[in-house]
Amino acid sequence: MTVSLILASQSPARRAVLAAAGVIPVIHVSEVDEPAALRNAANARGVSVEQMSAEERVSILAQAKAFAVYESWKLVASAAASASGNLVVGYPLEAEASVTESAESAESESSESSVKALANDSQSDVTHNVDTAQTRDFSGVKVPTKTFDIHDFAHMNEYCKDCNSVLIVGCDSMFLLDGECYGKPHTPALAAARIKQMSGKTGELFTGHCLIDAKSGKTVCKVSRASVTFAHMSDEEIRAYVETGEPLEVAGSFTLEGFGGAFIEGIQGDPHGVLGISLPLLRQMVCDLGYAWPDLWNSRKLEGEAIKDDPSSAQVPKENVHQPGDGWVMCDCGRKHWGHNGAAGVLLARRDDATGRVTHVVMQHRALWSAEGGTWGIPGGAISDGETAIEGALRESFEEANITSQDIDVVGAYCENHGNWRYTTVFAFEKPGHCVNPCAHDDESMEIKWVPIDDVPKLKLLTAMRTDWPSFRARLDSLASQR
């Protein structure tokens, strides 16, 4: 059995601990208001936050984070399960060779004209160069298609077939010194004051863990505990450490794996708990829910790890927190594509309340550093292990563009199948009476916005979107008329 793990945290240290143990988690940031969560829990118990122990506080926050992501996961799962319509699969590589050769010739001519047009374009921030396209231009190719029920995605996602369980883990850490609890200091002044107080002393680090079986709702919560002894630090050492910025956003104002490691003289207890997530404790929790720890192993060598950077820069970013399923595939079409399990995105449309006709669609202005940077397409990305194409598209469109699953209806899909790689476009309508407010959630986009449907062809479109837009527009209009 394969079990997918979702980590309700953006902590690089927690991800690194899991990755080193063979578990590449899906990262879903919980966005929990931690002070409010603690106040609400304290009020429910009839006490103040200060009266709650460190163990109670980290347990409360770990649960709050895990359940926030669980609720988000349920919304995606519900929207995917409620999808209607057909999945149309196109097989462009099966088209006649002569037609394909003609299309490639047309693509070459199009590339030359696009480059010439770009040279005369006053919008110098747009790098629409079809020579850098990661998807072949199949315009002019008569693509054979097959039609399936929209829920028949499993035959195209080998990882989805074997993954029938999803676990969500939330964590929170807090440091106890001289009877006082310390979280993240956030400011240099507070960090310096705390570190000066910690110098030469021993404190206790508590890390709360909450693990949820997403499909059954069963929950296990546990807390790890470790004693940490600090070296005596001079004022100069404290100043230099604070200037690194490392202690500002970590519980207790120190890290074991970074600059702070040299000032930690001893640890009694679980060292992984000091890093933010206890592997022995998590393994026990996984077993408590009826799974085996090796079921979570999914590590594969990822190439070119780089963090996303400034979307208005043409410089390719240097680091990135990769998700399961991320990575380049040498496609049967002769190009490299992103996504070991394929990729998917959402084409979201808004309709007129009176006529029901499509008036706008959500479009993404792609970061310059991305493939065909500066062009317009739809928000989407690599499908994670264990996801269907619909689930992957919904998750990615929320992470990138704030397209909220509870506010849309999935009404159809189109999959371009290249054999060993696929891209699925999920068609969706904004629900009547609901409002989706798209915005750029990360740095993969320069802009996300509603675009009048008649204006879409006027944009500098991604190669595949430019090719498919006429048929996509026709299908949206047809779906709208049916509803």
Side-chain angles (χ1 to χ4, degrees):
M1 179 192 303
T2 300
V3 178
S4 178
L5 181 70
I6 296 175
L7 176 62
S9 170
Q10 60 184 350
S11 164
R14 291 189 179 113
R15 182 196 182 270
V17 169
L18 289 167
V23 181
I24 308 296
V26 176
I27 306 297
H28 283 194
V29 182
S30 66
E31 300 181 353
V32 165
D33 184 336
E34 296 184 19
L38 289 175
R39 287 195 302 270
N40 292 339
N43 290 337
R45 301 181 186 192
V47 299
S48 67
V49 172
E50 291 71 23
Q51 290 174 305
M52 293 192 298
S53 68
E55 186 170 0
E56 289 175 313
R57 296 187 210 184
V58 295
S59 183
I60 289 166
L61 292 177
Q63 290 181 60
K65 294 175 182 179
F67 274 95
V69 171
Y70 178 41
E71 291 303 317
S72 177
W73 180 89
K74 287 195 294 184
L75 290 173
V76 167
S78 176
S82 301
S84 60
N86 293 324
L87 163 66
V88 178
V89 182
Y91 303 88
L93 300 187
E94 295 181 9
E96 293 182 2
S98 59
V99 177
T100 303
E101 290 172 3
S102 298
E104 289 175 343
S105 176
E107 177 186 0
S108 177
E109 294 174 5
S110 175
S111 297
E112 294 176 6
S113 61
S114 294
V115 173
K116 291 176 182 177
L118 178 62
N120 297 321
D121 198 326
S122 61
Q123 299 181 23
S124 59
D125 64 326
V126 177
T127 57
H128 183 230
N129 184 349
V130 185
D131 288 327
T132 67
Q134 295 297 311
T135 300
R136 278 174 53 184
D137 185 354
F138 290 106
S139 57
V141 177
K142 187 176 168 117
V143 178
T145 63
K146 294 180 182 178
T147 301
F148 302 87
D149 180 87
I150 195 167
H151 296 288
D152 191 8
F153 279 99
H155 72 286
M156 295 189 299
N157 186 350
E158 59 182 290
Y159 295 97
C160 175
K161 287 191 269 188
D162 297 328
C163 184
N164 51 18
S165 296
V166 175
L167 300 180
I168 300 169
V169 61
C171 300
D172 189 79
S173 298
M174 197 162 288
F175 188 64
L176 182 66
L177 181 70
D178 297 333
E180 187 172 352
C181 293
Y182 296 105
K184 301 171 184 176
H186 300 304
T187 67
L190 187 53
R194 288 184 180 178
I195 294 169
K196 188 174 183 66
Q197 184 180 359
M198 291 156 46
S199 177
K201 295 182 179 180
T202 298
E204 292 180 299
L205 189 88
F206 294 84
T207 298
H209 301 68
C210 178
L211 187 66
I212 303 173
D213 185 334
K215 297 195 175 179
S216 71
K218 293 181 180 178
T219 304
V220 178
C221 297
K222 295 183 185 292
V223 177
S224 73
R225 178 176 179 173
S227 295
V228 183
T229 300
F230 298 94
H232 288 278
M233 298 175 65
S234 68
D235 289 345
E236 178 58 28
E237 286 175 326
I238 293 173
R239 182 196 62 76
Y241 181 42
V242 172
E243 285 182 353
T244 68
E246 181 181 272
L248 303 187
E249 298 301 325
V250 291
S253 310
F254 70 92
T255 63
L256 177 62
E257 74 280 12
F259 290 102
F263 305 109
I264 297 175
E265 292 189 335
I267 294 175
Q268 290 186 333
D270 181 7
H272 289 130
V274 179
L275 295 173
I277 189 166
S278 168
L279 290 177
L281 194 62
L282 183 59
R283 182 186 66 83
Q284 163 109 42
M285 297 166 72
V286 169
C287 293
D288 288 347
L289 289 177
Y291 303 100
W293 178 253
D295 292 342
L296 276 66
W297 289 344
N298 66 340
S299 179
R300 62 161 64 93
K301 186 162 184 74
L302 301 174
E303 91 176 60
E305 293 225 351
I307 245 178
K308 298 166 194 170
D309 206 358
D310 180 3
S312 63
S313 170
Q315 182 73 31
V316 177
K318 296 181 179 176
E319 291 186 9
N320 181 33
V321 176
H322 282 191
Q323 309 267 32
D326 281 6
W328 291 104
V329 173
M330 181 51 70
C331 182
D332 291 344
C333 77
R335 302 289 178 89
K336 278 206 309 185
H337 296 309
W338 186 250
H340 287 294
N341 309 321
V346 171
L347 177 54
L348 177 62
R350 172 175 284 172
R351 293 176 293 160
D352 181 84
D353 290 337
T355 66
R357 298 178 64 181
V358 174
T359 60
H360 295 75
V361 294
V362 173
M363 298 293 288
Q364 174 193 46
H365 196 187
R366 297 165 59 82
L368 288 183
W369 52 260
S370 63
E372 294 190 71
T375 60
W376 290 79
I378 61 174
I383 301 169
S384 284
D385 293 359
E387 289 182 327
T388 65
I390 293 181
E391 291 167 342
L394 292 173
R395 174 184 56 78
E396 283 282 340
S397 65
F398 173 71
E399 292 175 359
E400 291 188 6
N402 195 45
I403 293 177
T404 43
S405 298
Q406 66 268 33
D407 295 315
I408 68 175
D409 287 320
V410 175
V411 295
Y414 174 76
C415 172
E416 184 170 290
N417 191 319
H418 291 189
N420 65 333
W421 186 85
R422 295 125 344 238
Y423 190 92
T424 302
T425 300
V426 174
F427 298 92
F429 289 143
E430 192 177 43
K431 287 182 178 178
H434 291 243
C435 182
V436 174
N437 297 306
C439 63
H441 261 185
D442 60 23
D443 45 24
E444 293 191 22
S445 313
M446 291 194 286
E447 186 179 12
I448 304 275
K449 66 178 182 179
W450 286 105
V451 174
I453 194 163
D454 291 334
D455 290 347
V456 172
K458 302 174 187 177
L459 300 173
K460 292 181 181 291
L461 297 175
L462 187 73
T463 298
M465 178 58 71
R466 188 178 67 248
T467 301
D468 292 332
W469 177 248
S471 63
F472 285 178
R473 168 69 190 267
R475 189 167 180 191
L476 284 173
D477 288 340
S478 175
L479 288 167
S481 68
Q482 295 169 22
R483 298 173 70 87

